[in-house]
Amino acid sequence: MNLISKAKTLWRYTHAAWALGDELRSRLVLATLLPRLKFPICLTSNERLYEVRIRIGPMRRILHLRAQDIFLVYEVLWGNPYIHPEMLREPPRCILDLGAHIGLATLRFKASFPQAIIHCYEPDPENFKLLEKNTTGLPGVVLHQEAVGPEDTIVTLYVPAGRHSASSLCRPSEGIAFHEVRCKVSTLDRILANIGSPVDLVKFDIEGVEYEVFSASRWVQEVPWIVGEMKGGTGQVERFVRLFPHHCAEVVWVARKMAVVYLWRRP
């Protein structure tokens, strides 16, 4: 990435920080998190916790985050990829957030659909601590410290060093440092059954196990909206979309090998 591209990226993140921050100190903190990660002169650990006041539409919250989380703050809170305009016609009443991370998508959903019940599933213990802090006091938010997988079991969760957003049931590639955490895994059908009431929207960001999870589920075919992020090539995304013959599909490529998939059940 050349200097011009870096400057443009820094400007975009600064613009987002100024829009999301609810007061000057918070804007400055958000605006400086990317430089803290990118420039060697900034030696602050990306595990250090920050507290900022943010504004998401009509909602004002205190957000707890690490420097490494600024990428998802920009992507989810500023970019808002998980809310399709058509959802606003009939707002979802029950939402399932698979891979809730520190609660950014949940905050976005609550700002747009304040009456919705949201069930958040997040297995990474460090992410879960921040998820608890970031959703405390929000009505209708239910937290579950577990992962979704193709079978009910206890498995290893792999957490790459300094990248809690990439925690996965898939072992990282050779050469990537990581630590291991044991975590509970439930199938998607068991999760949907435990919720009890009909789920209107399933959001997923589950780092590489999308096909295995959704191909093992029968009841997800009845969910009106399924939205999530997938990493991979065109063939992998098309293979996933073919799991849903009763849904319309829209795929938005946000990077060379990263797409946001929108599925909505046909009338």
Side-chain angles (χ1 to χ4, degrees):
M1 184 182 291
N2 59 37
L3 288 177
I4 294 177
S5 295
K6 288 182 178 180
K8 288 180 178 179
T9 298
L10 184 58
W11 165 250
R12 288 195 298 268
Y13 274 70
T14 301
H15 179 65
W18 232 250
L20 291 169
D22 201 27
E23 38 84 33
L24 181 59
R25 188 201 66 85
S26 295
R27 291 169 184 162
L28 292 173
V29 170
L30 289 170
T32 57
L33 290 183
L34 183 62
R36 290 175 192 274
L37 287 175
K38 292 296 185 180
F39 298 108
I41 194 171
C42 301
L43 300 177
T44 305
S45 167
N46 67 2
E47 297 287 346
R48 175 184 168 183
L49 296 182
Y50 298 86
E51 181 181 296
V52 295
R53 295 182 179 275
I54 59 169
R55 180 177 63 251
I56 313 168
M59 177 188 290
R60 284 170 163 79
R61 297 286 298 177
I62 293 177
L63 180 68
H64 303 265
L65 75 164
R66 302 153 298 211
Q68 63 184 268
D69 299 320
I70 192 60
F71 300 110
L72 284 182
V73 168
Y74 180 81
E75 176 187 330
V76 177
L77 292 187
W78 182 241
N80 194 20
Y82 298 126
I83 299 179
H84 192 282
E86 290 295 317
M87 291 178 189
L88 303 177
R89 293 176 179 269
E90 190 174 343
R93 292 165 294 180
C94 185
I95 299 172
L96 175 56
D97 186 351
L98 300 174
H101 192 240
I102 66 171
L104 301 176
T106 293
L107 294 178
R108 253 298 169 196
F109 288 137
K110 265 299 178 181
S112 299
F113 313 121
Q115 303 305 316
I117 304 296
I118 306 178
H119 289 265
C120 303
Y121 281 74
E122 173 54 50
D124 184 320
E126 297 305 313
N127 286 345
F128 193 82
K129 290 176 185 177
L130 295 179
L131 175 63
E132 288 182 307
K133 290 183 176 182
N134 289 333
T135 59
T136 185
L138 276 180
V141 175
V142 185
L143 306 183
H144 309 262
Q145 190 176 351
E146 58 187 272
V148 61
E151 59 181 339
D152 298 320
T153 185
I154 304 291
V155 299
T156 297
L157 179 74
Y158 300 96
V159 184
R163 292 188 60 211
H164 287 275
S165 62
S167 299
S168 176
L169 300 182
C170 302
R171 189 181 181 91
S173 303
E174 187 175 349
I176 296 178
F178 63 88
H179 69 270
E180 301 179 2
V181 178
R182 299 295 285 175
C183 74
K184 178 183 177 182
V185 177
S186 295
T187 64
L188 183 49
D189 277 355
R190 179 172 295 279
I191 289 172
L192 292 171
N194 289 342
I195 289 174
S197 57
V199 171
D200 303 305
L201 165 61
V202 172
K203 168 262 172 182
F204 64 91
D205 184 1
I206 52 178
E207 297 299 326
V209 293
E210 299 86 4
Y211 188 86
E212 291 76 8
V213 165
F214 284 90
S215 63
S217 174
R218 179 165 53 98
W219 293 345
V220 75
Q221 297 292 336
E222 303 301 319
V223 175
W225 280 96
I226 302 164
V227 179
E229 179 186 282
M230 288 193 67
K231 296 180 178 70
T234 303
Q236 292 168 284
V237 173
E238 290 178 347
R239 178 173 177 246
F240 177 78
V241 168
R242 285 196 296 270
L243 290 174
F244 302 92
H246 305 297
H247 286 71
C248 300
E250 179 181 342
V251 178
V252 178
W253 290 94
V254 296
R256 190 170 64 88
K257 287 196 172 184
M258 182 181 297
V260 177
V261 178
Y262 301 92
L263 299 160
W264 62 97
R265 191 165 171 83
R266 303 177 191 275

PDB file of all heavy atoms in Angstrom, residues 212-224:
ATOM      1  N   GLU A 212     -20.418 -25.761   6.683  1.00  0.00           N
ATOM      2  CA  GLU A 212     -20.663 -26.900   7.574  1.00  0.00           C
ATOM      3  C   GLU A 212     -21.827 -26.626   8.523  1.00  0.00           C
ATOM      4  O   GLU A 212     -22.649 -27.513   8.780  1.00  0.00           O
ATOM      5  CB  GLU A 212     -19.401 -27.211   8.376  1.00  0.00           C
ATOM      6  CG  GLU A 212     -18.250 -27.776   7.558  1.00  0.00           C
ATOM      7  CD  GLU A 212     -17.513 -26.734   6.727  1.00  0.00           C
ATOM      8  OE1 GLU A 212     -17.787 -25.530   6.900  1.00  0.00           O
ATOM      9  OE2 GLU A 212     -16.686 -27.132   5.890  1.00  0.00           O
ATOM     10  N   VAL A 213     -21.916 -25.404   9.035  1.00  0.00           N
ATOM     11  CA  VAL A 213     -22.973 -25.059   9.993  1.00  0.00           C
ATOM     12  C   VAL A 213     -24.337 -25.025   9.319  1.00  0.00           C
ATOM     13  O   VAL A 213     -25.304 -25.631   9.792  1.00  0.00           O
ATOM     14  CB  VAL A 213     -22.669 -23.690  10.650  1.00  0.00           C
ATOM     15  CG1 VAL A 213     -23.909 -23.145  11.358  1.00  0.00           C
ATOM     16  CG2 VAL A 213     -21.523 -23.826  11.634  1.00  0.00           C
ATOM     17  N   PHE A 214     -24.441 -24.325   8.192  1.00  0.00           N
ATOM     18  CA  PHE A 214     -25.745 -24.126   7.576  1.00  0.00           C
ATOM     19  C   PHE A 214     -26.218 -25.348   6.806  1.00  0.00           C
ATOM     20  O   PHE A 214     -27.431 -25.594   6.713  1.00  0.00           O
ATOM     21  CB  PHE A 214     -25.716 -22.887   6.683  1.00  0.00           C
ATOM     22  CG  PHE A 214     -25.749 -21.601   7.459  1.00  0.00           C
ATOM     23  CD1 PHE A 214     -24.574 -20.996   7.875  1.00  0.00           C
ATOM     24  CD2 PHE A 214     -26.952 -21.005   7.796  1.00  0.00           C
ATOM     25  CE1 PHE A 214     -24.593 -19.812   8.608  1.00  0.00           C
ATOM     26  CE2 PHE A 214     -26.993 -19.828   8.528  1.00  0.00           C
ATOM     27  CZ  PHE A 214     -25.817 -19.230   8.942  1.00  0.00           C
ATOM     28  N   SER A 215     -25.302 -26.148   6.265  1.00  0.00           N
ATOM     29  CA  SER A 215     -25.720 -27.367   5.562  1.00  0.00           C
ATOM     30  C   SER A 215     -26.250 -28.407   6.537  1.00  0.00           C
ATOM     31  O   SER A 215     -27.022 -29.299   6.144  1.00  0.00           O
ATOM     32  CB  SER A 215     -24.551 -27.947   4.759  1.00  0.00           C
ATOM     33  OG  SER A 215     -23.487 -28.344   5.613  1.00  0.00           O
ATOM     34  N   ALA A 216     -25.864 -28.306   7.812  1.00  0.00           N
ATOM     35  CA  ALA A 216     -26.332 -29.253   8.832  1.00  0.00           C
ATOM     36  C   ALA A 216     -27.662 -28.833   9.453  1.00  0.00           C
ATOM     37  O   ALA A 216     -28.208 -29.555  10.289  1.00  0.00           O
ATOM     38  CB  ALA A 216     -25.279 -29.405   9.927  1.00  0.00           C
ATOM     39  N   SER A 217     -28.187 -27.661   9.056  1.00  0.00           N
ATOM     40  CA  SER A 217     -29.415 -27.138   9.666  1.00  0.00           C
ATOM     41  C   SER A 217     -30.605 -27.320   8.737  1.00  0.00           C
ATOM     42  O   SER A 217     -30.544 -27.001   7.548  1.00  0.00           O
ATOM     43  CB  SER A 217     -29.252 -25.651   9.996  1.00  0.00           C
ATOM     44  OG  SER A 217     -30.468 -25.102  10.450  1.00  0.00           O
ATOM     45  N   ARG A 218     -31.703 -27.791   9.293  1.00  0.00           N
ATOM     46  CA  ARG A 218     -32.954 -27.928   8.540  1.00  0.00           C
ATOM     47  C   ARG A 218     -33.847 -26.721   8.771  1.00  0.00           C
ATOM     48  O   ARG A 218     -34.473 -26.198   7.861  1.00  0.00           O
ATOM     49  CB  ARG A 218     -33.661 -29.221   8.979  1.00  0.00           C
ATOM     50  CG  ARG A 218     -34.993 -29.491   8.289  1.00  0.00           C
ATOM     51  CD  ARG A 218     -35.409 -30.944   8.517  1.00  0.00           C
ATOM     52  NE  ARG A 218     -35.409 -31.280   9.942  1.00  0.00           N
ATOM     53  CZ  ARG A 218     -36.505 -31.281  10.692  1.00  0.00           C
ATOM     54  NH1 ARG A 218     -37.686 -30.968  10.180  1.00  0.00           N
ATOM     55  NH2 ARG A 218     -36.445 -31.609  11.980  1.00  0.00           N
ATOM     56  N   TRP A 219     -33.890 -26.254  10.014  1.00  0.00           N
ATOM     57  CA  TRP A 219     -34.839 -25.196  10.376  1.00  0.00           C
ATOM     58  C   TRP A 219     -34.437 -23.818   9.877  1.00  0.00           C
ATOM     59  O   TRP A 219     -35.287 -22.933   9.760  1.00  0.00           O
ATOM     60  CB  TRP A 219     -35.032 -25.167  11.892  1.00  0.00           C
ATOM     61  CG  TRP A 219     -35.711 -26.403  12.398  1.00  0.00           C
ATOM     62  CD1 TRP A 219     -36.380 -27.337  11.654  1.00  0.00           C
ATOM     63  CD2 TRP A 219     -35.769 -26.853  13.748  1.00  0.00           C
ATOM     64  NE1 TRP A 219     -36.861 -28.346  12.454  1.00  0.00           N
ATOM     65  CE2 TRP A 219     -36.497 -28.073  13.758  1.00  0.00           C
ATOM     66  CE3 TRP A 219     -35.286 -26.362  14.956  1.00  0.00           C
ATOM     67  CZ2 TRP A 219     -36.754 -28.781  14.923  1.00  0.00           C
ATOM     68  CZ3 TRP A 219     -35.538 -27.074  16.123  1.00  0.00           C
ATOM     69  CH2 TRP A 219     -36.264 -28.259  16.103  1.00  0.00           C
ATOM     70  N   VAL A 220     -33.171 -23.622   9.548  1.00  0.00           N
ATOM     71  CA  VAL A 220     -32.755 -22.295   9.084  1.00  0.00           C
ATOM     72  C   VAL A 220     -33.413 -21.945   7.752  1.00  0.00           C
ATOM     73  O   VAL A 220     -33.526 -20.768   7.386  1.00  0.00           O
ATOM     74  CB  VAL A 220     -31.217 -22.220   8.977  1.00  0.00           C
ATOM     75  CG1 VAL A 220     -30.712 -22.980   7.751  1.00  0.00           C
ATOM     76  CG2 VAL A 220     -30.748 -20.770   8.943  1.00  0.00           C
ATOM     77  N   GLN A 221     -33.879 -22.954   7.031  1.00  0.00           N
ATOM     78  CA  GLN A 221     -34.552 -22.695   5.755  1.00  0.00           C
ATOM     79  C   GLN A 221     -35.821 -21.860   5.930  1.00  0.00           C
ATOM     80  O   GLN A 221     -36.302 -21.242   4.979  1.00  0.00           O
ATOM     81  CB  GLN A 221     -34.888 -24.020   5.058  1.00  0.00           C
ATOM     82  CG  GLN A 221     -33.690 -24.861   4.680  1.00  0.00           C
ATOM     83  CD  GLN A 221     -32.834 -24.244   3.591  1.00  0.00           C
ATOM     84  OE1 GLN A 221     -33.311 -23.437   2.801  1.00  0.00           O
ATOM     85  NE2 GLN A 221     -31.562 -24.608   3.542  1.00  0.00           N
ATOM     86  N   GLU A 222     -36.371 -21.848   7.151  1.00  0.00           N
ATOM     87  CA  GLU A 222     -37.604 -21.090   7.409  1.00  0.00           C
ATOM     88  C   GLU A 222     -37.329 -19.656   7.849  1.00  0.00           C
ATOM     89  O   GLU A 222     -38.267 -18.870   7.997  1.00  0.00           O
ATOM     90  CB  GLU A 222     -38.430 -21.806   8.488  1.00  0.00           C
ATOM     91  CG  GLU A 222     -38.784 -23.247   8.159  1.00  0.00           C
ATOM     92  CD  GLU A 222     -39.594 -23.354   6.873  1.00  0.00           C
ATOM     93  OE1 GLU A 222     -40.487 -22.496   6.664  1.00  0.00           O
ATOM     94  OE2 GLU A 222     -39.314 -24.272   6.073  1.00  0.00           O
ATOM     95  N   VAL A 223     -36.073 -19.307   8.076  1.00  0.00           N
ATOM     96  CA  VAL A 223     -35.736 -17.965   8.566  1.00  0.00           C
ATOM     97  C   VAL A 223     -35.874 -16.959   7.417  1.00  0.00           C
ATOM     98  O   VAL A 223     -35.291 -17.163   6.346  1.00  0.00           O
ATOM     99  CB  VAL A 223     -34.313 -17.938   9.146  1.00  0.00           C
ATOM    100  CG1 VAL A 223     -33.924 -16.517   9.538  1.00  0.00           C
ATOM    101  CG2 VAL A 223     -34.214 -18.874  10.348  1.00  0.00           C
ATOM    102  N   PRO A 224     -36.615 -15.856   7.610  1.00  0.00           N
ATOM    103  CA  PRO A 224     -36.826 -14.895   6.521  1.00  0.00           C
ATOM    104  C   PRO A 224     -35.550 -14.228   6.012  1.00  0.00           C
ATOM    105  O   PRO A 224     -35.395 -14.021   4.807  1.00  0.00           O
ATOM    106  CB  PRO A 224     -37.775 -13.860   7.147  1.00  0.00           C
ATOM    107  CG  PRO A 224     -38.480 -14.591   8.238  1.00  0.00           C
ATOM    108  CD  PRO A 224     -37.462 -15.556   8.782  1.00  0.00           C
TER     109      PRO A 224
END
